[in-house]
Amino acid sequence: PDGAARAAAEARNGQLTKPPGALGRLEDLGIWYAGWRGDARAQVTSPQVIVFAANHGVAARGVSAFPAEVTAQMVANFRAGGAAVNQLARTFGARMDVHSIELERPTADFTTGPAMTEAEVVAALAIGWNAVDPASDLLVAGEMGIGNTTSAAALAHALFGAAPTDWVGRGTGVDDAGLALKARVVGEGLAANPGAAHDPLEALRCLGGRELAAVAGAIARARQLSIPVVLDGFICTSAAAVLERAAPGALDHAVAGHVSAEPGHPRLLAALDKTPLLSLGMRLGEGSGAALAVAVVQAAAACLSGMATFAEAGVSDG
Amino acid sequence: PDGAARAAAEARNGQLTKPPGALGRLEDLGIWYAGWRGDARAQVTSPQVIVFAANHGVAARGVSAFPAEVTAQMVANFRAGGAAVNQLARTFGARMDVHSIELERPTADFTTGPAMTEAEVVAALAIGWNAVDPASDLLVAGEMGIGNTTSAAALAHALFGAAPTDWVGRGTGVDDAGLALKARVVGEGLAANPGAAHDPLEALRCLGGRELAAVAGAIARARQLSIPVVLDGFICTSAAAVLERAAPGALDHAVAGHVSAEPGHPRLLAALDKTPLLSLGMRLGEGSGAALAVAVVQAAAACLSGMATFAEAGVSDG
């Protein structure tokens, strides 16, 4: 971030026509945004929502309430503008892009070995990297992939330890037996890929998926471009966590958009020391929670950039 | 609300391309909005933010960190577009109106008798009633008035009992001595106006203020027009609570936009059985928290009205 812009934003915030601190979290958020954008009066005018979609070999283990063909069907729905994230992106003026990554070629089942080869994970990271529009000023990286809450749970388990049961949840809606199966599959995943416990990028390759790698690649690219990021739910955050574990501070340009109803998400956010902006019981993925939180960042930047100072408005300062 | 529209909205929600319940609170919110608008696919296209401003005799007791002339200065700031609520209204496409109510004539100090005469409170209620644009489709009623957290605390104390210390907070920023003074003044207020404890509208007249009465009038008018309301913070909610205590169910068309950092607000929301949409530590008033929450209602309505169904999108349904 730009220290001078951040300092100028802090100074400006202290002069705006409101009691000190009265905008609560919006004040810190606006200053954070200004610092990363290098402009004390930065506004959010060009947010970008990208949805990455891919398929998972582990879906064959029956870990999802929906069949694997739903990934491709939902990609068509994203392209036609019919999904939740489309409505949210449109409501808040975000550009939306969809990247469907080799849906006909699922990753390998990670309970039998690595989900991806080195070449495959690098290709997926590059897709994410190249998907970010350098002209955008706020990024949401969403995902779609039947089976990917299981992949995210395995990734979180490798990155942060704890028990598989601490990281699994009902995803799109599995029953108690499905939930127990997911925990078993997560444990088998780490057992089959022991190197994943010691190297975050190896964890991404062995237990992640193409859309998770693309999310990580996009978030890394946003950092290089000084584009702030709004993290979505459990799956997006697990992919982002790879970056933070590989290089502490790698997510300083990212804010947690919301906390999902998927039970592993609050645990993951705590491990990353991120406090969510919203808590509305959402658990859809697609970038939907983050796309809604774009509104909060827009609001914070609008207040910091647009409000009058006490001097400008002729208001007595306390 | 329109039972048929609500039922149609519920049925539609169940067919949209997402796992059941995956949009969390947005789903109930969208259905609630559709029911009040009488349209299963209602969208929020014309929100209205109204800020009512007035002065309080009790300010002379030294209960605020800011001098009373700030009310008029902030009215000028609202009109010039420089306040926080202006930025928020603009960001989410809301029309904004400002009603300055006899600033040169503060209410009487309620520690010595009723704040308003019958004629005065009725006039203020009517200003609120007439301020609502019948063509709007979502209402935020905000307020500005130096001293009005003390008035709101006195009103909450009269309406819901408990101790004065349970309802007072630091407002725009009083110190510990100021906080103790506010509690004392609230206790004196109810002692000087014993009828306020037994009649909600009498409580509004004796302990409220012109802007609080206008907020109540606007919320009542919105009910008559089937315009859903987003409640703001402590002061707005205390005015709204008058309606609920006078006629249980009178706030069924209102949702709590946020929970304020002012400590009486969570207590007041609990008494009204309202769960806030946002919790961001805001405590500015002006309608600012509610204006931000307009974005959440817009999002909920956009998802319910705009998403494709499983059948429309050709997506397999679980």
Side-chain angles (χ1 to χ4, degrees):
Chain A
D2 178 331
R6 193 188 154 88
E10 276 178 347
R12 178 170 165 73
N13 181 60
Q15 296 162 359
L16 299 178
T17 43
K18 57 175 184 53
L23 283 172
R25 183 108 192 254
L26 291 193
E27 298 190 17
D28 293 338
L29 190 64
I31 292 164
W32 165 85
Y33 184 77
W36 282 99
R37 295 303 294 161
D39 176 0
R41 299 186 73 162
Q43 291 181 275
V44 181
T45 59
S46 308
Q48 182 184 21
V49 174
I50 316 177
V51 182
F52 300 101
N55 274 318
H56 292 258
V58 76
R61 294 288 304 269
V63 290
S64 177
F66 284 78
E69 62 257 31
V70 166
T71 305
Q73 292 165 349
M74 282 301 297
V75 166
N77 197 22
F78 296 136
R79 291 197 166 129
V85 70
N86 297 98
Q87 318 317 313
L88 296 165
R90 192 180 300 128
T91 299
F92 303 117
R95 159 183 168 168
M96 194 174 133
D97 297 292
V98 184
H99 289 262
S100 171
I101 314 176
E102 302 188 72
L103 296 194
E104 65 296 347
R105 216 157 60 88
T107 52
D109 175 356
F110 63 60
T111 63
T112 63
M116 291 175 277
T117 65
E118 292 273 359
E120 286 170 339
V121 72
V122 166
L125 281 158
I127 286 171
W129 181 275
N130 292 320
V132 179
D133 178 0
S136 68
D137 53 19
L138 189 63
L139 175 67
V140 169
E143 46 55 47
M144 171 72 213
I146 293 300
N148 70 4
T149 56
T150 301
S151 178
L155 200 44
H157 179 47
L159 294 174
F160 296 103
T165 48
D166 289 324
W167 298 111
V168 296
R170 294 184 189 275
T172 52
V174 297
D175 59 14
D176 289 351
L179 191 63
L181 172 64
K182 284 175 78 166
R184 212 155 55 236
V185 164
V186 165
E188 289 173 26
L190 194 56
N193 298 280
H198 311 292
D199 178 342
L201 286 162
E202 182 70 356
L204 180 65
R205 179 179 83 85
C206 293
L207 302 169
R210 290 185 176 86
E211 82 282 36
L212 295 187
V215 165
I219 293 171
R221 171 65 162 158
R223 174 63 165 259
Q224 196 214 29
L225 295 167
S226 294
I227 297 171
V229 169
V230 185
L231 299 177
D232 193 40
F234 181 57
I235 299 152
C236 167
T237 307
S238 73
V242 169
L243 303 174
E244 183 70 24
R245 294 299 271 178
L251 295 182
D252 288 354
H253 69 310
V255 68
H258 79 126
V259 56
S260 163
E262 184 72 9
H265 196 218
R267 178 180 292 267
L268 202 48
L269 290 177
L272 293 169
D273 198 22
K274 297 280 187 198
T275 306
L277 293 172
L278 302 174
S279 178
L280 291 164
M282 297 171 73
R283 52 177 171 80
L284 180 58
E286 306 180 353
S288 56
L292 177 51
V294 162
V296 183
V297 184
Q298 287 174 325
C303 287
L304 179 59
S305 63
M307 282 176 71
T309 63
F310 281 105
E312 286 165 355
V315 173
S316 305
D317 183 0
Chain B
D2 178 331
R6 193 186 154 88
E10 276 179 346
R12 178 170 166 72
N13 181 60
Q15 296 162 0
L16 299 178
T17 44
K18 57 175 184 53
L23 283 173
R25 182 110 192 253
L26 292 193
E27 298 190 18
D28 292 339
L29 190 63
I31 292 164
W32 166 85
Y33 185 77
W36 282 100
R37 295 303 295 161
D39 175 0
R41 299 186 74 161
Q43 290 180 276
V44 181
T45 59
S46 307
Q48 182 185 19
V49 174
I50 316 177
V51 182
F52 300 101
N55 274 318
H56 292 257
V58 77
R61 294 289 304 271
V63 291
S64 178
F66 284 77
E69 62 257 32
V70 166
T71 304
Q73 292 166 348
M74 282 301 297
V75 165
N77 198 22
F78 296 137
R79 290 197 168 130
V85 69
N86 296 98
Q87 319 315 315
L88 297 164
R90 192 180 300 129
T91 299
F92 303 117
R95 160 184 169 167
M96 193 174 133
D97 298 292
V98 184
H99 289 262
S100 172
I101 314 176
E102 300 188 73
L103 297 194
E104 67 295 346
R105 216 157 59 87
T107 52
D109 175 356
F110 63 61
T111 63
T112 62
M116 292 175 276
T117 65
E118 292 274 358
E120 285 170 340
V121 72
V122 166
L125 281 159
I127 286 171
W129 181 276
N130 291 320
V132 179
D133 178 0
S136 69
D137 53 19
L138 189 64
L139 175 69
V140 169
E143 46 55 47
M144 171 71 213
I146 294 300
N148 70 5
T149 56
T150 301
S151 178
L155 199 45
H157 179 48
L159 294 173
F160 296 103
T165 49
D166 289 324
W167 298 110
V168 295
R170 293 183 190 275
T172 52
V174 297
D175 59 14
D176 288 352
L179 191 62
L181 173 65
K182 285 176 77 167
R184 211 154 56 236
V185 163
V186 165
E188 289 173 27
L190 194 56
N193 296 280
H198 311 293
D199 178 342
L201 286 162
E202 182 70 355
L204 180 65
R205 179 178 82 84
C206 294
L207 302 169
R210 290 185 176 86
E211 82 282 37
L212 295 185
V215 165
I219 293 172
R221 172 65 162 155
R223 174 64 164 258
Q224 196 213 28
L225 293 167
S226 294
I227 297 172
V229 169
V230 185
L231 298 176
D232 192 39
F234 181 57
I235 300 153
C236 166
T237 307
S238 73
V242 169
L243 303 174
E244 183 70 24
R245 294 297 272 179
L251 295 181
D252 288 354
H253 69 311
V255 68
H258 79 126
V259 58
S260 164
E262 184 73 8
H265 196 217
R267 180 181 290 267
L268 201 48
L269 290 177
L272 293 170
D273 198 23
K274 298 280 187 198
T275 305
L277 293 172
L278 302 174
S279 177
L280 291 164
M282 297 171 73
R283 52 177 172 81
L284 180 58
E286 307 180 353
S288 57
L292 177 51
V294 162
V296 183
V297 184
Q298 286 175 326
C303 286
L304 180 57
S305 64
M307 282 176 69
T309 63
F310 281 104
E312 285 165 356
V315 175
S316 306
D317 183 2

